[in-house]
Amino acid sequence: MRRIIISLVLMIAGIGGVQAQGIPFFRNYLAAEYNGHNQNFDIISGSDGTIYVANFEGLMYFDNAEWRMIHTPGITRITAVFRDSRKKIWTGGYNYIGYLEIGEQGQLQLHGLQNSAIQGEVQWIWEKDEKVYFLTSVQKIYRVEGETIVLAPD
């Protein structure tokens, strides 16, 4: 009887070990390791596996080698990040809407869309019918039209 119980325990432990192989690995980075503010708002993965984080200081990204920070013009915080169906990375923050692009020397940089009418902090970014929308903290919804931002109709 004792052998049966021990065999059952070992078998159950073995099954649990097999199931545990599908659990993803997570690592918690300290702010001192990524050289940014300790307040993060949103996170996504790019199509190439790069991790993008909306951070109080700007847009952070991890390219599987090291953390890097891209500051917004005027150094405003980034509070939302989104990847659309065309794989473009969109960012939003306090009175800021923009997207990630590759600069002339191959470096990643933020391209802010100018519109002095943006009010509040971007809380959510989404796509509908191939149009990108932004919801701000003052309950206004904006839509991207080319290189401009327009207030979406109610």
Side-chain angles (χ1 to χ4, degrees):
M1 183 68 169
R2 184 180 226 172
R3 261 191 238 182
I4 294 173
I5 293 174
I6 291 173
S7 296
L8 284 173
V9 169
L10 291 175
M11 186 174 75
I12 291 171
I15 291 171
V18 170
Q19 291 174 344
Q21 291 177 4
I23 297 174
F25 173 74
F26 288 96
R27 183 176 186 285
N28 187 19
Y29 288 91
L30 300 173
E33 291 178 278
Y34 59 73
N35 295 320
H37 195 275
N38 65 356
Q39 190 168 7
N40 298 306
F41 301 95
D42 201 2
I43 185 169
I44 63 159
S45 174
S47 59
D48 63 352
T50 301
I51 303 298
Y52 298 94
V53 179
N55 182 269
F56 193 85
E57 287 186 33
L59 180 68
M60 287 190 329
Y61 67 97
F62 183 69
D63 60 6
N64 293 313
E66 64 183 285
W67 285 100
R68 301 174 193 273
M69 176 74 71
I70 304 173
H71 295 282
T72 60
I75 309 179
T76 61
R77 62 186 168 263
I78 298 292
T79 53
V81 63
F82 174 76
R83 182 178 64 164
D84 70 12
S85 61
R86 292 178 294 269
K87 300 180 183 176
K88 184 182 277 190
I89 305 294
W90 291 91
T91 59
Y94 184 71
N95 295 336
Y96 174 81
I97 293 175
Y99 58 86
L100 197 59
E101 68 180 359
I102 298 174
E104 292 177 6
Q105 298 174 350
Q107 79 284 11
L108 290 177
Q109 62 188 29
L110 287 173
H111 177 82
L113 300 179
Q114 300 300 319
N115 186 334
S116 59
I118 300 169
Q119 296 177 349
E121 194 164 70
V122 173
Q123 295 182 323
W124 188 36
I125 308 170
W126 73 96
E127 182 178 19
K128 181 181 177 189
D129 299 328
E130 298 186 3
K131 298 278 186 187
V132 176
Y133 293 84
F134 296 81
L135 172 68
T136 65
S137 57
V138 294
Q139 303 305 306
K140 293 191 179 211
I141 297 175
Y142 296 92
R143 182 179 69 236
V144 176
E145 293 289 337
E147 284 291 309
T148 61
I149 303 160
V150 297
L151 193 59
D154 292 336

